[in-house]
Short mmCIF file of all heavy atoms in Angstrom, two decimals:
data_model
loop_
_atom_site.label_atom_id
_atom_site.label_comp_id
_atom_site.label_asym_id
_atom_site.label_seq_id
_atom_site.Cartn_x
_atom_site.Cartn_y
_atom_site.Cartn_z
N ALA A 1 116.56 119.89 149.54
CA ALA A 1 116.63 119.06 150.70
C ALA A 1 116.83 117.56 150.29
O ALA A 1 117.39 116.81 151.06
CB ALA A 1 115.37 119.18 151.57
N ALA A 2 116.32 117.18 149.18
CA ALA A 2 116.57 115.89 148.48
C ALA A 2 116.44 114.71 149.38
O ALA A 2 117.32 113.78 149.54
CB ALA A 2 118.01 115.88 147.89
N HIS A 3 115.26 114.56 150.02
CA HIS A 3 115.00 113.43 150.90
C HIS A 3 114.38 112.25 150.15
O HIS A 3 114.13 111.23 150.74
CB HIS A 3 114.08 113.86 152.05
CG HIS A 3 114.78 114.81 152.97
ND1 HIS A 3 114.12 115.97 153.44
CD2 HIS A 3 116.05 114.86 153.47
CE1 HIS A 3 114.99 116.60 154.28
NE2 HIS A 3 116.13 115.97 154.23
N LEU A 4 114.09 112.40 148.85
CA LEU A 4 113.32 111.37 148.14
C LEU A 4 114.06 110.04 148.14
O LEU A 4 113.45 109.05 148.40
CB LEU A 4 113.05 111.87 146.71
CG LEU A 4 112.18 110.87 145.93
CD1 LEU A 4 110.85 110.65 146.56
CD2 LEU A 4 112.03 111.47 144.53
N ALA A 5 115.35 110.01 147.87
CA ALA A 5 116.06 108.77 147.76
C ALA A 5 116.03 108.04 149.14
O ALA A 5 115.81 106.85 149.21
CB ALA A 5 117.50 108.95 147.27
N GLY A 6 116.25 108.80 150.22
CA GLY A 6 116.23 108.21 151.52
C GLY A 6 114.82 107.67 151.85
O GLY A 6 114.68 106.60 152.46
N ALA A 7 113.81 108.43 151.47
CA ALA A 7 112.41 108.01 151.77
C ALA A 7 112.14 106.70 150.97
O ALA A 7 111.55 105.82 151.54
CB ALA A 7 111.43 109.08 151.37
N MET A 8 112.61 106.61 149.73
CA MET A 8 112.39 105.39 148.97
C MET A 8 113.13 104.22 149.61
O MET A 8 112.65 103.15 149.87
CB MET A 8 112.91 105.56 147.50
CG MET A 8 112.11 106.45 146.67
SD MET A 8 110.61 105.64 146.06
CE MET A 8 109.40 106.77 146.70
N ALA A 9 114.43 104.47 149.98
CA ALA A 9 115.21 103.42 150.65
C ALA A 9 114.66 102.96 151.95
O ALA A 9 114.76 101.77 152.30
CB ALA A 9 116.68 103.89 150.82
N ALA A 10 114.04 103.82 152.66
CA ALA A 10 113.43 103.47 153.97
C ALA A 10 112.28 102.47 153.80
O ALA A 10 111.96 101.71 154.71
CB ALA A 10 112.90 104.73 154.74
N GLY A 11 111.65 102.49 152.56
CA GLY A 11 110.47 101.66 152.33
C GLY A 11 110.75 100.37 151.59
O GLY A 11 109.81 99.66 151.24
N THR A 12 112.01 100.13 151.21
CA THR A 12 112.30 98.90 150.39
C THR A 12 113.65 98.39 150.68
O THR A 12 114.52 99.15 151.21
CB THR A 12 112.16 99.26 148.87
OG1 THR A 12 112.29 98.06 148.11
CG2 THR A 12 113.26 100.26 148.45
N THR A 13 113.89 97.10 150.33
CA THR A 13 115.23 96.59 150.35
C THR A 13 115.85 96.55 148.99
O THR A 13 116.94 95.95 148.81
CB THR A 13 115.23 95.14 151.03
OG1 THR A 13 114.33 94.36 150.30
CG2 THR A 13 114.82 95.28 152.50
N LEU A 14 115.16 97.03 148.00
CA LEU A 14 115.75 97.17 146.64
C LEU A 14 116.87 98.14 146.62
O LEU A 14 116.85 99.10 147.42
CB LEU A 14 114.68 97.56 145.66
CG LEU A 14 113.60 96.55 145.35
CD1 LEU A 14 112.54 97.22 144.46
CD2 LEU A 14 114.13 95.30 144.71
N PRO A 15 117.82 98.04 145.74
CA PRO A 15 118.83 99.10 145.60
C PRO A 15 118.18 100.39 145.16
O PRO A 15 117.31 100.43 144.28
CB PRO A 15 119.74 98.55 144.50
CG PRO A 15 119.42 97.16 144.28
CD PRO A 15 118.06 96.94 144.82
N VAL A 16 118.59 101.51 145.84
CA VAL A 16 118.13 102.83 145.45
C VAL A 16 119.30 103.63 145.10
O VAL A 16 120.35 103.66 145.81
CB VAL A 16 117.40 103.44 146.68
CG1 VAL A 16 116.99 104.94 146.38
CG2 VAL A 16 116.11 102.66 147.06
N ILE A 17 119.17 104.35 143.98
CA ILE A 17 120.25 105.18 143.52
C ILE A 17 119.69 106.65 143.49
O ILE A 17 118.70 106.88 142.84
CB ILE A 17 120.66 104.80 142.04
CG1 ILE A 17 121.18 103.38 142.07
CG2 ILE A 17 121.78 105.80 141.54
CD1 ILE A 17 121.31 102.78 140.68
N GLY A 18 120.38 107.50 144.18
CA GLY A 18 119.95 108.92 144.28
C GLY A 18 120.66 109.79 143.25
O GLY A 18 121.95 109.63 143.04
N ILE A 19 119.91 110.62 142.61
CA ILE A 19 120.47 111.68 141.74
C ILE A 19 120.23 113.02 142.41
O ILE A 19 119.09 113.52 142.41
CB ILE A 19 119.82 111.70 140.31
CG1 ILE A 19 119.86 110.32 139.66
CG2 ILE A 19 120.48 112.78 139.37
CD1 ILE A 19 119.04 110.29 138.31
N PRO A 20 121.30 113.65 142.86
CA PRO A 20 121.10 115.06 143.38
C PRO A 20 120.90 115.97 142.26
O PRO A 20 121.72 115.97 141.29
CB PRO A 20 122.39 115.30 144.15
CG PRO A 20 123.19 114.06 144.04
CD PRO A 20 122.63 113.20 143.06
N ILE A 21 119.89 116.78 142.26
CA ILE A 21 119.52 117.70 141.20
C ILE A 21 120.06 119.10 141.51
O ILE A 21 119.85 119.59 142.68
CB ILE A 21 118.07 117.80 140.96
CG1 ILE A 21 117.46 116.35 140.61
CG2 ILE A 21 117.65 118.78 139.87
CD1 ILE A 21 117.96 115.81 139.29
N LYS A 22 120.66 119.70 140.56
CA LYS A 22 121.30 121.06 140.70
C LYS A 22 120.15 122.08 140.93
O LYS A 22 119.14 122.01 140.30
CB LYS A 22 122.11 121.42 139.47
CG LYS A 22 122.80 122.74 139.58
CD LYS A 22 123.67 122.96 138.32
CE LYS A 22 124.50 124.22 138.51
NZ LYS A 22 125.46 124.35 137.44
N SER A 23 120.40 122.97 141.89
CA SER A 23 119.41 124.03 142.15
C SER A 23 120.09 125.37 141.97
O SER A 23 121.29 125.49 141.80
CB SER A 23 118.91 123.94 143.64
OG SER A 23 120.00 124.06 144.51
N LYS A 24 119.24 126.41 141.93
CA LYS A 24 119.81 127.81 141.74
C LYS A 24 120.68 128.25 142.91
O LYS A 24 121.71 128.84 142.72
CB LYS A 24 118.64 128.77 141.58
CG LYS A 24 117.88 128.66 140.27
CD LYS A 24 116.87 129.70 140.15
CE LYS A 24 115.69 129.32 140.99
NZ LYS A 24 114.51 130.19 140.88
N ASN A 25 120.24 127.98 144.10
CA ASN A 25 120.89 128.56 145.26
C ASN A 25 122.28 127.96 145.57
O ASN A 25 123.22 128.66 145.77
CB ASN A 25 119.99 128.45 146.50
CG ASN A 25 118.72 129.24 146.29
OD1 ASN A 25 118.69 130.21 145.59
ND2 ASN A 25 117.63 128.77 146.88
N LEU A 26 122.37 126.65 145.68
CA LEU A 26 123.60 126.05 146.08
C LEU A 26 124.23 125.10 144.97
O LEU A 26 125.05 124.26 145.35
CB LEU A 26 123.43 125.36 147.42
CG LEU A 26 122.98 126.24 148.57
CD1 LEU A 26 122.64 125.40 149.78
CD2 LEU A 26 124.15 127.16 148.93
N ASP A 27 123.80 125.24 143.84
CA ASP A 27 124.35 124.45 142.68
C ASP A 27 124.23 122.90 142.86
O ASP A 27 125.01 122.17 142.30
CB ASP A 27 125.76 124.83 142.41
CG ASP A 27 125.95 126.16 141.70
OD1 ASP A 27 124.95 126.59 141.00
OD2 ASP A 27 126.97 126.81 141.85
N GLY A 28 123.35 122.51 143.71
CA GLY A 28 123.11 121.06 143.92
C GLY A 28 123.92 120.44 145.02
O GLY A 28 123.76 119.26 145.35
N VAL A 29 124.84 121.24 145.64
CA VAL A 29 125.60 120.69 146.75
C VAL A 29 124.74 120.31 147.93
O VAL A 29 124.90 119.29 148.57
CB VAL A 29 126.72 121.71 147.17
CG1 VAL A 29 127.45 121.25 148.48
CG2 VAL A 29 127.69 121.88 146.11
N ASP A 30 123.68 121.11 148.13
CA ASP A 30 122.66 120.76 149.20
C ASP A 30 122.09 119.39 148.94
O ASP A 30 121.97 118.57 149.85
CB ASP A 30 121.64 121.85 149.36
CG ASP A 30 121.05 122.24 148.01
OD1 ASP A 30 121.52 121.98 146.96
OD2 ASP A 30 120.01 122.97 148.08
N ALA A 31 121.61 119.14 147.70
CA ALA A 31 121.04 117.92 147.35
C ALA A 31 122.05 116.76 147.38
O ALA A 31 121.67 115.65 147.84
CB ALA A 31 120.46 117.99 145.92
N LEU A 32 123.24 116.99 146.97
CA LEU A 32 124.35 115.99 147.08
C LEU A 32 124.51 115.53 148.49
O LEU A 32 124.48 114.35 148.82
CB LEU A 32 125.63 116.50 146.47
CG LEU A 32 126.82 115.59 146.67
CD1 LEU A 32 126.62 114.29 145.93
CD2 LEU A 32 128.09 116.31 146.19
N LEU A 33 124.68 116.51 149.44
CA LEU A 33 124.88 116.16 150.82
C LEU A 33 123.70 115.46 151.45
O LEU A 33 123.82 114.53 152.21
CB LEU A 33 125.27 117.43 151.61
CG LEU A 33 126.62 118.03 151.19
CD1 LEU A 33 126.86 119.33 151.90
CD2 LEU A 33 127.79 117.04 151.38
N SER A 34 122.51 115.87 151.06
CA SER A 34 121.26 115.25 151.64
C SER A 34 121.17 113.84 151.11
O SER A 34 120.72 112.94 151.87
CB SER A 34 120.02 116.02 151.16
OG SER A 34 120.00 117.28 151.80
N THR A 35 121.58 113.59 149.89
CA THR A 35 121.39 112.26 149.31
C THR A 35 122.48 111.25 149.78
O THR A 35 122.22 110.16 150.04
CB THR A 35 121.45 112.34 147.73
OG1 THR A 35 120.46 113.29 147.38
CG2 THR A 35 121.15 111.01 147.08
N VAL A 36 123.69 111.75 149.94
CA VAL A 36 124.83 110.85 150.26
C VAL A 36 124.93 110.61 151.77
O VAL A 36 125.44 109.56 152.14
CB VAL A 36 126.10 111.49 149.72
CG1 VAL A 36 126.64 112.60 150.56
CG2 VAL A 36 127.20 110.40 149.46
N GLN A 37 124.41 111.45 152.55
CA GLN A 37 124.55 111.28 154.02
C GLN A 37 123.42 110.50 154.69
O GLN A 37 122.60 110.99 155.49
CB GLN A 37 124.67 112.68 154.71
CG GLN A 37 125.89 113.37 154.38
CD GLN A 37 127.15 112.76 155.04
OE1 GLN A 37 127.08 111.88 155.84
NE2 GLN A 37 128.29 113.22 154.66
N MET A 38 123.31 109.23 154.31
CA MET A 38 122.23 108.40 154.82
C MET A 38 122.70 107.69 156.12
O MET A 38 123.88 107.39 156.26
CB MET A 38 121.86 107.36 153.80
CG MET A 38 121.09 107.91 152.59
SD MET A 38 119.60 108.74 153.06
CE MET A 38 118.67 107.37 153.78
N PRO A 39 121.82 107.44 157.06
CA PRO A 39 122.15 106.75 158.32
C PRO A 39 122.48 105.29 157.98
O PRO A 39 121.99 104.72 157.07
CB PRO A 39 120.96 106.90 159.14
CG PRO A 39 119.76 107.07 158.24
CD PRO A 39 120.34 107.81 157.01
N SER A 40 123.30 104.76 158.84
CA SER A 40 123.71 103.33 158.76
C SER A 40 122.42 102.46 158.69
O SER A 40 121.47 102.63 159.46
CB SER A 40 124.54 102.95 159.98
OG SER A 40 124.96 101.59 159.83
N GLY A 41 122.40 101.54 157.80
CA GLY A 41 121.30 100.62 157.67
C GLY A 41 120.33 100.95 156.55
O GLY A 41 119.48 100.14 156.14
N ILE A 42 120.37 102.15 156.04
CA ILE A 42 119.53 102.58 154.89
C ILE A 42 120.41 103.16 153.79
O ILE A 42 120.53 104.38 153.68
CB ILE A 42 118.46 103.65 155.41
CG1 ILE A 42 117.73 103.23 156.66
CG2 ILE A 42 117.51 103.97 154.28
CD1 ILE A 42 116.77 102.02 156.43
N PRO A 43 121.06 102.28 153.06
CA PRO A 43 121.95 102.78 152.03
C PRO A 43 121.29 103.35 150.81
O PRO A 43 120.21 102.94 150.42
CB PRO A 43 122.75 101.50 151.62
CG PRO A 43 121.80 100.37 151.93
CD PRO A 43 120.99 100.83 153.08
N VAL A 44 121.90 104.34 150.28
CA VAL A 44 121.51 104.94 148.97
C VAL A 44 122.81 105.16 148.21
O VAL A 44 123.70 105.84 148.66
CB VAL A 44 120.79 106.31 149.16
CG1 VAL A 44 120.64 107.03 147.80
CG2 VAL A 44 119.45 106.13 149.79
N ALA A 45 122.83 104.53 147.03
CA ALA A 45 124.01 104.84 146.16
C ALA A 45 123.77 106.22 145.53
O ALA A 45 122.59 106.51 145.17
CB ALA A 45 124.11 103.77 145.04
#
């Protein structure tokens, strides 16, 4: 589900960089999409 980067970004104005971690089930695509699809105003690189 990879919500950690978004949770961090919601609590700070520092730059946050997300690393999606590969999983067994979906090879990390799930984490990639969860990390990259942030709402406007809460950026995560």
